[in-house]
Amino acid sequence: MELKLIVIQIVTAALGSFGFSLIYRLRPEHLPLAALGGAITWGTYLFVLHYTDNIFIASFVATICCTLLAEIVAKLQKTPATVLLIPSVIPLIPGGSLYYTMSELVQRDYDAFWHYARLTIQYALSIALGISIVWTLWAMLFQRKAQVRE
């Protein structure tokens, strides 16, 4: 992929995350962090996709990076991680494939419907698994540290 196109995509992802942050009325100090999170998430996705050519793995790794970043920054900023996670994961949401899934179903093109349905499910599962795994490991790590201190 051409470098110019990659830069445009990453900047657009940052702007999309920034826009959603405005809609959800994030505090002004969190706006740049959410935009940076969206840029890093999409950059990670493109990087992994380039080497694996697998959207599930690319989305999964990007979600793990996004969730880890949100948890670390949230701890430093003393804010809930979801405040930063939700806008940062926005670039990965499978809006296009979901649209085409429904469009092909309405048009009764079942081969295309199943193709887009599989893509949508892969995106959704990779996002859900990435967030769940990081949150579980994060909770186990910090609960253990809290128990050791007591």
Side-chain angles (χ1 to χ4, degrees):
M1 189 180 301
E2 187 181 328
L3 181 61
K4 182 179 176 182
L5 182 59
I6 292 170
V7 170
I8 290 171
Q9 286 187 26
I10 291 172
V11 168
T12 305
L15 290 174
S17 293
F18 185 83
F20 271 90
S21 299
L22 290 174
I23 291 170
Y24 291 122
R25 299 181 185 198
L26 257 65
R27 292 184 180 171
E29 63 267 18
H30 295 142
L31 292 174
L33 296 171
L36 179 64
I40 290 172
T41 299
W42 193 251
T44 304
Y45 172 80
L46 290 176
F47 180 78
V48 175
L49 186 65
H50 176 73
Y51 288 104
T52 64
D53 202 30
N54 184 315
I55 62 164
F56 180 84
I57 293 171
S59 294
F60 181 69
V61 172
T63 302
I64 286 174
C65 289
C66 173
T67 309
L68 278 172
L69 177 68
E71 287 289 347
I72 292 166
V73 172
K75 204 134 183 81
L76 295 172
Q77 295 285 317
K78 295 183 171 84
T79 189
T82 54
V83 168
L84 300 170
L85 176 63
I86 292 172
S88 297
V89 82
I90 288 293
L92 295 177
I93 303 298
S97 63
L98 181 59
Y99 169 81
Y100 289 119
T101 300
M102 295 297 105
S103 177
E104 300 302 338
L105 180 63
V106 169
Q107 294 175 23
R108 296 183 180 172
D109 183 353
Y110 297 114
D111 290 334
F113 162 77
W114 285 114
H115 169 73
Y116 288 113
R118 279 191 293 271
L119 287 177
T120 303
I121 290 168
Q122 285 180 28
Y123 278 118
L125 279 176
S126 66
I127 293 168
L129 281 173
I131 292 171
S132 298
I133 288 170
V134 171
W135 277 356
T136 301
L137 295 174
W138 192 268
M140 288 170 41
L141 176 69
F142 283 100
Q143 283 179 355
R144 180 171 296 229
K145 282 186 177 181
Q147 289 174 354
V148 169
R149 283 186 222 148
E150 293 173 356

